[in-house]
Amino acid sequence: MSLSQRQLALLLIAPGLALVAALFLYPLCFSLISAFTGPQGGFSLQAFAKAYELYSGDILFTVIIVLASCLLTGLVATIIAGTLTLGENRFIVGTLKALYRWPLFIPFIVAAQCMRTFLAKNGLMNNSFVAMGLMEPLQAMSFLDWRGIIATFVWKQTPFVALLLAGALAALDRATLEAGRNLGASRLRVLVELALPQVMPQLLVALVLSFVTMLSVLSVPMMVAGSQPTMLTVDMAFRINAYGDYSTANALGVITYLISAGAAIIYLKRGMAQEGTR
Amino acid sequence: MLLAAFALAAFAFFLIGPLVNLALWSVAERWYTPYKLPVVYGTRYWEQVFRPTGDAMASLATSVWIAVLTVIVALVLSIPAGYALARLKLPARALFMIVFLLPQAFPSVAIYINVARIFYQLGINGTVFAVVLVHAAHGLVYSVWIAAAAFGAVDRDLELAARNIGASPLKTFFSVTLPLAAPGIIASGIFVFLESLDEFTGTFFVGVPQVTTLPLLLYNAAMGGNYQVASITALILLVPSVLFMLFIERFLRADVLAKVGA
C-alpha cells in the first residue's frame, strides 16, 4: 500500500475541510480585517468604539438572553430526559414521549411566527388564560419582547437537548441506577447524583451547540421582538442593509465571536481532556 | 401524582398552543380583537397561496431543490470525513472535529455578510449554487459528526471477519461498514435537509433578491402583516419537519446518539 493510514485519513477529510476553509475561515479573516481597519486604512479600533457607543446595551442584552435561554433549556431538557428514563408512571412517560419532540425540527422562522401570534397581547395564550378564568382581560399583556425571545428559544431547543440527553441516559448501565433505587435513593437523587454526572459530556455538547445557535439566529429577534433593545444579529443586518457599514457590523461580529468563544473553550477543554484518556 | 399530571398538562399547553394558534390563523379570513377565535373561517388565503401565479409553489420548489443539492454535497464530503474520524489514525483528531463545528460554533451573521461580499465580487451572489454552498458548509457539522458516530458504532469484529475471509478494505467498507452505518448517515442527511429547508439567515444575505425560499417568503409575509399567508407558509414548512420527527428514531439509534460528539 502506497498511502499510510494517516495520509489516507487526511485525504478523506480534505474536501470537507476545504469547504469549511473557503466558506468559513476565509470570510472570518475578512470580517476580522474589516473590523480592525480604520476609514483611512491601517489598524484602528474605531469600529469597536462606534459599536460600543451604539450597541453596548444590545451586547449585554444578547448575552443575558442566550445564557438564560440555555439554562432554562438545560433544566427543562433534564426534567424531560430524566422522566423518560426513570419515570415509572406509564401514562406520563408515554404522553411525554409522544409530545416532547414536536418542535425538534420546526424551523426557527416557523417557531418565531407561532410565538408572534401566541404570545401577543390578544394571542391564544392570554385568551386561553382569560377563558379559563385565570386572568382578567385587562391584565393581558404582550410578551413580544425579551421574554418572547427566550420562550421561543427554549421551546425550539429543548427537544434537541432532551433527545441527545435521553439517548445518552438510555445507553447508561441500568444496574447502577437500579442499585441506587434499591438502596432507597429517590428518582430525583438517582438522576442528579448517579445519571447526570455520567452524561454531562453529552449535555454540555448539546448546550454549547444550542448556545451558538441562539447567538446566530436572526429571524427570532427580528420577528418576535422588533423594538429596542434587540440582539446583535439584528444590529449587524441593520448596519449592512441600511448603511452598508461593514466595519461596525464586523466589529459587532467580532464581539459575538468572543461571546461564543466562551462556549467553544468549554468544549475544547472537554475534547482535550477526553483525547488524553483515549 | 396530581402535580405531575398538572405539570404535563401545562407542558402540553405551551408545547402545542403556538402550533394551534398558527393553524387557526391559516384558516382565519377575519380575526380581530376582542374576539378570542376567528370571526370568519375560510380557505381564501390557501387558494391565494396555492394559486399557480402565487409565489408559494415556486418558493417551495426552490427550497426543496436547494435542500436536495445541499444533502448531496454534504454527504459526499462527510462520508469519507466521518469514516476517517471514526476509524483511521488521524493526528489532532479533536482539532478536526472542532474545525467542522466552527461554522455552527460561530455566530453566522457576521460570516454571511462577508460571504455575501465575496460572492458578490465573484458574481455568484443570488444564485442557487451560492445558497447551496452556504447551506452545505453550515450543515457539515451534523453530517460529519453523525457520520463519525454512525461509523464508530459499527462493530469492528464484523469488519475484521470480512477482512479475514479475504475482502479488500474497499470491499469491506462498501459491503459491511457503509450498510451498517447507513441508518445513521440517512439520519445525518435528514438533519442537513431540514437545516437547509429551515435556513433563513444565509439565504437572506446570499440569495436575495433572486433566490426566494419558503423561509424568505414567510418572513416577507409576516413583516408585511399578512398573518394568514405567513401561517400557511409556516404550515407548509412544518410538514417535512413533523414527518421526519416521527421517523427519526428509526434511523438514529440510542447507541449512535450516545456517540455524537464523542
Side-chain angles (χ1 to χ4, degrees):
Chain A
M1 211 159 98
S2 53
L3 282 173
S4 77
Q5 213 190 57
R6 282 183 172 207
Q7 285 168 325
L8 178 67
L10 288 173
L11 199 68
L12 289 177
I13 210 168
L17 288 178
L19 187 73
V20 174
L23 288 180
F24 176 76
L25 296 176
Y26 181 56
L28 178 70
C29 293
F30 239 77
S31 78
L32 290 173
I33 292 168
S34 165
F36 287 102
T37 305
Q40 273 82 44
F43 178 83
S44 159
L45 289 175
Q46 234 179 55
F48 285 93
K50 193 169 172 189
Y52 185 77
E53 186 196 334
L54 291 173
Y55 299 111
S56 56
D58 287 355
I59 296 170
L60 189 68
F61 182 78
T62 304
V63 172
I64 292 172
I65 290 272
V66 174
L67 274 180
S69 304
C70 267
L71 285 177
L72 273 173
T73 302
L75 185 70
V76 180
T78 306
I79 295 171
I80 293 172
T83 309
L84 289 179
T85 326
L86 300 167
E88 278 156 11
N89 183 309
R90 269 208 202 153
F91 172 75
I92 287 178
V93 172
T95 314
L96 194 61
K97 198 171 186 176
L99 279 180
Y100 90 95
R101 281 175 299 158
W102 279 82
L104 182 61
F105 293 124
I106 291 178
F108 267 106
I109 193 155
V110 174
Q113 176 60 23
C114 286
M115 292 300 180
R116 206 173 139 85
T117 48
F118 184 66
L119 298 175
K121 189 162 185 277
N122 293 295
L124 195 65
M125 187 178 76
N126 283 339
N127 283 346
S128 305
F129 287 161
V130 171
M132 284 188 278
L134 296 173
M135 197 168 76
E136 292 297 316
L138 283 176
Q139 289 175 305
M141 59 159 145
S142 164
F143 287 88
L144 297 179
D145 47 26
W146 58 275
R147 290 166 299 189
I149 302 180
I150 292 179
T152 314
F153 282 161
V154 174
W155 189 81
K156 166 78 180 91
Q157 281 307 114
T158 298
F160 169 71
V161 178
L163 183 75
L164 285 183
L165 201 58
L169 285 173
L172 285 184
D173 180 16
R174 300 287 306 182
T176 29
L177 303 186
E178 265 149 38
R181 287 290 283 149
N182 288 339
L183 288 173
S186 68
R187 272 175 290 163
L188 186 67
R189 206 160 152 210
V190 169
L191 176 67
V192 174
E193 289 182 14
L194 284 177
L196 265 191
Q198 297 184 62
V199 295
M200 235 4 169
Q202 283 88 353
L203 179 61
L204 213 57
V205 166
L207 285 182
V208 167
L209 280 174
S210 298
F211 183 93
V212 289
T213 303
M214 292 168 185
L215 205 53
S216 317
V217 174
L218 176 64
S219 53
V220 172
M222 269 203 299
M223 289 171 68
V224 173
S227 58
Q228 289 294 325
T230 190
M231 294 184 73
L232 291 177
T233 45
V234 180
D235 295 329
M236 279 185 267
F238 178 72
R239 293 308 311 173
I240 296 296
N241 290 338
Y243 297 111
D245 179 2
Y246 279 90
S247 51
T248 309
N250 279 319
L252 289 173
V254 172
I255 292 166
T256 61
Y257 300 159
L258 292 176
I259 298 170
S260 71
I265 286 167
I266 295 171
Y267 175 75
L268 204 71
K269 272 191 176 162
R270 194 190 75 74
M272 291 304 172
Q274 208 180 41
E275 206 69 5
T277 59
R278 202 172 276 274
Chain B
M1 183 58 218
L2 198 67
L3 190 72
F6 179 75
L8 192 67
F11 176 75
F13 175 73
F14 283 105
L15 192 82
I16 303 298
L19 295 169
V20 172
N21 205 167
L22 188 76
L24 278 176
W25 262 112
S26 77
V27 290
E29 288 196 1
R30 286 168 71 203
W31 188 359
Y32 43 84
T33 48
Y35 293 99
K36 292 184 176 54
L37 289 170
V39 185
V40 180
Y41 292 90
T43 55
R44 185 158 67 86
Y45 286 94
W46 282 90
E47 283 155 27
Q48 185 188 325
V49 165
F50 279 99
R51 206 176 289 157
T53 50
D55 297 329
M57 294 322 279
S59 305
L60 177 65
T62 310
S63 274
V64 171
W65 177 230
I66 287 173
V68 168
L69 291 176
T70 302
V71 170
I72 293 170
V73 172
L75 287 189
V76 164
L77 298 175
S78 63
I79 290 173
Y83 182 79
L85 285 166
R87 276 290 189 263
L88 302 176
K89 276 205 183 77
L90 197 62
R93 181 179 171 279
L95 187 71
F96 286 120
M97 292 288 276
I98 291 165
V99 170
F100 286 112
L101 176 69
L102 286 179
Q104 291 269 5
F106 272 74
S108 47
V109 173
I111 301 295
Y112 289 143
I113 55 181
N114 292 289
V115 169
R117 213 170 165 190
I118 296 163
F119 279 2
Y120 188 75
Q121 283 164 355
L122 295 173
I124 58 170
N125 224 20
T127 63
V128 167
F129 175 68
V131 176
V132 168
L133 283 183
V134 165
H135 287 192
H138 186 72
L140 218 52
V141 64
Y142 290 112
S143 57
V144 169
W145 280 29
I146 299 174
F151 283 123
V154 172
D155 190 352
R156 270 171 207 266
D157 288 345
L158 295 174
E159 292 174 348
L160 288 176
R163 294 300 304 280
N164 278 342
I165 55 172
S168 69
L170 213 57
K171 171 106 182 153
T172 307
F173 176 78
F174 280 108
S175 54
V176 177
T177 319
L178 191 58
L180 285 173
I185 289 169
I186 292 171
S188 82
I190 292 170
F191 266 93
V192 173
F193 185 88
L194 291 168
E195 274 285 306
S196 170
L197 223 50
D198 173 355
E199 219 286 333
F200 167 74
T201 318
T203 323
F204 183 77
F205 288 109
V206 171
V208 287
Q210 291 90 343
V211 180
T212 305
T213 56
L214 279 180
L216 281 172
L217 184 77
L218 162 54
Y219 173 76
N220 290 334
M223 297 316 262
N226 195 334
Y227 280 18
Q228 284 90 347
V229 170
S231 301
I232 292 165
T233 315
L235 282 174
I236 299 170
L237 275 174
L238 276 185
V239 174
S241 311
V242 171
L243 280 182
F244 284 130
M245 192 270 302
L246 292 174
F247 284 105
I248 190 72
E249 276 197 346
R250 303 217 173 147
F251 291 111
L252 214 51
R253 306 187 315 266
D255 58 335
V256 174
L257 275 175
K259 279 193 194 308
V260 171

